[in-house]
Structures are given as C-alpha cells and as structure tokens.
C-alpha cells in the first residue's frame, strides 16, 4: 500500500539585511505619512480657528456681522445707538472712557463713552484706529457716534487677558490649560504686533504698554481662546523715510519692562525734560515680547520646554540696540516653527532615536 505524501510547506525567511531594510523603509514611510498629516492638521488648525490670513467672517468697510447672522449690517449710527442699545451695567472705567455691558437686539454688546473731555483727542484717535484696522486681529466695531463720543463693539465674556490664569482654572476651561494652547495665545499676540507694524496705515507702535498689567488690559480673550486687541487709543505712527519717530507719552518711563531707549538716558543728576527725551521706533514692542510671552506660557507641563526653544529669539528681542532686535515677522516665524516642531515631537516620541 503506497504511503500518501504529506504536503510540504516551505517558510521563506528574509535575510537579516533585507528584513532590516524593509523595517527601515516602513518606518520612513510612516514618518512621512505622519508629517503629511501633521501639516494638514496645522494648516486646518489655523484656518478653522480663524487665524487664516483672510477672514471670511469679515464684512466690507463700514459693515459688521454679529453672532450667527449671515448678512452684514451697516455700522450703527448715533440715532440707532440711542434707540436700539440698552445699557445693562458698568463693567470698567479707565482714564479715557467708561465701559458698559449693553444689549442690542438680544445680543450682548459693549458701549464705551468718553469720561474726560480733556482726552477727547485720544478717544477720537482710538475710534479712527478701530475703524481703519478692522481685521481678525482687532475687536469688531458695531457702530459709533462722534458727537456723543460713543463707540459700540462686540462683547467677549472672558474679558481682558488680565484674567487668563483665573479663566484657565475654571473647570469648563481646564482642558485649555496646556503648553500647546498657551503657545497659540502667544502666537496670536505676536501676530497682532506684526499686524500693527505692517498695518494699512503704516508702522504703528503699541504705546499703552508700560508694564505687563497695562499690556494685558489692552487685549481680549475670545470664547474660542484667541486674542484680540481692544484698546487702540495710543498708536503713534513711525515713518522712517520721513524721519518720524515716536514717544509714548510726555512723562518719564522707568523699570525693566519698558525698552532701554524709552528710559531717560541722561542719569539721575539731570532732571527729566520731555523736549530732551530722544524718540524711538517700533522695536520697543519687540523688547516686551519675551515678558508677555512668559505670562502666556505660565507654569504648566511642557511650558519650560517651549521656553527653552524660544530662548535664542527672546535673547535677540532683548538686545540693547533696537536695530539688532528681530522684526515682529521674524519672531512670529520662529514661534510657528517651534509650535510645529514640538507638536511633531509630541506625536512621534523616540522616532529620532529609532532612526
């Protein structure tokens, strides 16, 4: 009786070198795919969060859009503000104006009114800037009345950046308290400085910035965690070609927060005189970026790693010679590169060692 032949299975084994090459090729393919996904993610992140260079939500000059309304409405006139806007309560008061939480057609809005007639030029300058600089970086203007020194703007319930840390400790927002989100806020801030330095009106300097608390009070935190500039009362224009520089106010500025060129240069023995104080340019804003960003980054897990990556650009911002400091665009480019790098490293820990 003939014996049945059992099927004979041959297992193919790859030589070690071939297996190693295949593993490396697969790993490289995975890295390339992940890089592509990260690029798409970051690109979509900027667009979906309203940080794209062009904001489709903006209306043409003289018009605004509020809430879920699709159509643009003209800025409210004196008559419309007087008839349709109802004050609810006073929510703030500064040297120039008093601010009221108000209501317009069931929408919360902010009504600002001049309180000191001696500062009406500052108030009108702020209105002029607000009208001319409407963009994704600036609080939305809804209307104004020059005769009554009144400005109507969009309401942001999270308020100014002064309350950022308190907001991030509210249970609803604790998930936002990460190095990634905090770095995004710093990027928003630097984006605003870049916009002011290359605005449609020319190079504008953020003069209401003599200490950190004053800087933070000039900006709003939106409900989707972005930054808008809100107070534009002190934005003088630098025009180098015409030899025009600026001075932030007529009083002596002190402290390490302001740039060296903003301090009285002739020592304690010479009394301060505004006429003798040399003017300066927009690089004063660059000097302050590291201190403001340090506030944004806070003390959460990963924030010190971010600081380490930003060390060189921040050191450049603190150069004593203003001409040696980077532009706002260069700072912004560095911040974005650091964000991309750190997201990539967080997504692929250990990849560099594997390769």
């Amino acid at each position: 009786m003939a014996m049945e032949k059992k099927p004979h299975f041959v297992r193919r084994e790859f030589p070690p070198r071939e297996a190693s090459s295949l593993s490396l090729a697969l790993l490289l393919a995975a890295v390339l795919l992940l890089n592509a996904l990260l690029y798409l993610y970051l690109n979509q992140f900027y667009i979906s969060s309203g940080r794209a260079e062009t904001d489709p939500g903006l209306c043409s000059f003289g018009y605004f859009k509020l809430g879920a309304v699709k159509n643009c409405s003209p800025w409210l006139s004196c008559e419309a503000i007087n008839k349709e806007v109802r004050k609810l309560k006073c929510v703030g008061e500064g040297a120039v104006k008093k601010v009221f939480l108000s209501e317009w057609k069931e929408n919360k809005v902010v009504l600002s009114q001049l309180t000191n007639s001696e500062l009406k030029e500052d108030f009108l300058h702020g209105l002029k800037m607000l009208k001319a600089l409407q963009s994704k970086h600036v609080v939305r203007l809804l209307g104004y009345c020059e005769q009554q020194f009144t400005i109507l703007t969009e309401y942001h319930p999270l308020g100014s950046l002064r309350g950022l840390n308190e907001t991030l400790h509210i249970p609803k927002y604790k998930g936002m308290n990460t190095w990634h989100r905090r770095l995004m806020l710093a990027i928003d801030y630097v984006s605003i400085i870049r916009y002011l330095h290359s605005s449609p009106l020319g190079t504008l300097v953020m003069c209401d910035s003599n200490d950190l608390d004053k800087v933070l009070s000039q900006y709003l935190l939106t409900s989707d965690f972005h930054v808008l500039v809100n107070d534009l009362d002190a934005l003088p224009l630098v025009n180098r070609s015409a030899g025009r520089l600026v001075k932030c106010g007529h009083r002596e500025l002190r402290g390490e927060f302001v740039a060296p060129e903003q301090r009285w240069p002739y020592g304690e023995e010479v009394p301060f005189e505004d006429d003798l104080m040399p003017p300066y340019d927009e690089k004063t804003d660059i000097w302050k970026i590291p201190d403001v960003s340090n506030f944004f980054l806070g003390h959460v897990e990963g924030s010190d790693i971010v600081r380490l990556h930003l060390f060189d650009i921040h050191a450049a911002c603190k150069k004593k010679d203003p001409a040696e400091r980077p532009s706002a665009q260069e700072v912004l480019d560095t911040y974005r590169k650091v964000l991309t790098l750190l997201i990539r490293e967080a997504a692929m820990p250990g990849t560099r060692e594997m390769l």
Side-chain angles (χ1 to χ4, degrees):
M1 182 173 157
M3 293 182 63
E4 289 184 15
K5 284 188 178 181
K6 291 184 179 179
H8 183 60
F9 295 100
V10 179
R11 194 176 78 186
R12 186 187 171 197
E13 293 188 4
F14 292 102
R17 185 177 294 174
E18 190 179 338
S20 175
S21 299
L22 184 62
S23 298
L24 186 59
L26 288 171
L27 180 60
L28 284 170
V31 169
L32 289 170
L33 177 62
L34 195 49
N35 269 305
L37 291 172
L38 276 170
Y39 173 81
L40 291 171
Y41 162 75
L42 286 169
N43 192 50
Q44 187 60 32
F45 186 89
Y46 279 110
I47 293 170
S48 64
S49 60
R51 301 296 99 180
E53 285 306 311
T54 54
D55 186 351
L58 284 175
C59 300
S60 56
F61 183 80
Y63 291 80
F64 72 92
K65 195 160 53 172
L66 196 60
V69 178
K70 291 183 179 180
N71 298 325
C72 295
S73 303
W75 287 337
L76 300 186
S77 63
C78 296
E79 184 183 3
I81 290 173
N82 291 333
K83 282 185 178 180
E84 301 172 15
V85 176
R86 183 170 64 95
K87 288 181 187 176
L88 298 177
K89 63 177 179 178
C90 179
V91 291
E93 185 172 2
V96 179
K97 54 185 177 281
K98 187 178 282 190
V99 179
F100 296 89
L101 174 63
S102 305
E103 192 174 53
W104 175 72
K105 294 186 176 179
E106 300 183 354
N107 293 291
K108 294 284 194 301
V109 293
V110 173
L111 188 73
S112 301
Q113 289 186 320
L114 177 70
T115 53
N116 185 347
S117 59
E118 293 179 5
L119 297 174
K120 64 182 179 182
E121 293 304 319
D122 289 358
F123 185 87
L124 292 175
H125 176 75
L127 173 58
K128 177 186 173 184
M129 294 292 108
L130 195 54
K131 288 161 65 178
L133 298 176
Q134 283 295 291
S135 68
K136 63 187 174 65
H137 302 292
V138 179
V139 70
R140 191 167 297 169
L141 178 63
L142 310 180
Y144 62 92
C145 181
E146 283 192 38
Q147 298 95 308
Q148 297 172 5
F149 298 101
T150 300
I151 300 173
L152 194 69
T153 53
E154 188 174 17
Y155 173 61
H156 293 278
L158 296 183
S160 82
L161 288 177
R162 278 175 172 166
L164 174 63
N165 288 322
E166 289 76 9
T167 298
L168 287 169
H169 283 97
I170 297 172
K172 179 181 177 181
Y173 298 114
K174 276 191 174 179
M176 296 286 195
N177 197 15
T178 64
W179 69 262
H180 171 260
R181 179 56 66 175
R182 283 176 170 270
L183 178 55
M184 284 300 305
L185 292 174
I187 287 173
D188 280 355
Y189 167 70
V190 178
S191 296
I192 292 170
I193 299 298
R194 188 278 310 267
Y195 175 68
L196 294 178
H197 288 185
S198 56
S199 83
L201 301 177
T203 301
L204 301 169
V205 181
M206 192 65 174
C207 265
D208 267 343
S209 57
N210 296 337
D211 58 58
L212 179 62
D213 191 63
K214 185 64 175 173
V215 170
L216 299 176
S217 71
Q218 309 300 301
Y219 297 87
L220 295 171
L221 181 64
T222 68
S223 296
D224 61 346
F225 269 70
H226 286 293
V227 179
L228 296 174
V229 63
N230 181 50
D231 198 330
L232 304 172
D233 293 345
L235 280 182
L237 179 70
V238 168
N239 188 339
R240 278 195 194 81
S241 60
R244 182 178 175 182
L245 299 176
V246 305
K247 286 193 284 188
C248 291
H250 305 287
R251 298 178 182 177
E252 183 179 1
L253 301 179
R254 295 176 178 267
E256 293 300 311
F257 188 83
V258 295
E261 64 271 24
Q262 291 186 277
R263 301 174 211 148
W264 180 242
Y266 303 118
E268 293 289 338
E269 61 277 4
V270 180
F272 176 82
E273 283 188 47
D274 184 43
D275 291 341
L276 298 178
M277 180 67 200
Y280 34 82
D281 63 17
E282 78 278 4
K283 290 299 182 75
T284 56
D285 289 335
I286 303 300
W287 170 273
K288 296 161 188 171
I289 286 175
D291 298 302
V292 180
S293 287
N294 188 53
F295 167 80
F296 278 122
L297 293 174
H299 300 283
V300 296
E301 184 180 352
S303 62
D304 285 341
I305 300 295
V306 179
R307 285 185 179 89
L308 188 63
H309 282 274
L310 295 176
F311 181 85
D312 288 342
I313 192 68
H314 283 173
C317 291
K318 291 293 187 179
K319 295 273 189 183
K320 188 170 184 181
D321 182 356
E324 294 182 7
R325 294 175 205 153
S327 67
Q329 183 65 61
E330 289 169 320
V331 178
L332 180 59
D333 290 343
T334 301
Y335 273 42
R336 285 175 170 167
K337 284 176 185 173
V338 168
L339 174 65
T340 303
L341 173 70
L342 292 177
I343 289 178
R344 183 182 293 129
E345 288 186 352
M348 300 182 295
T351 303
R352 190 178 297 141
E353 291 76 6
M354 291 168 68
L355 291 172

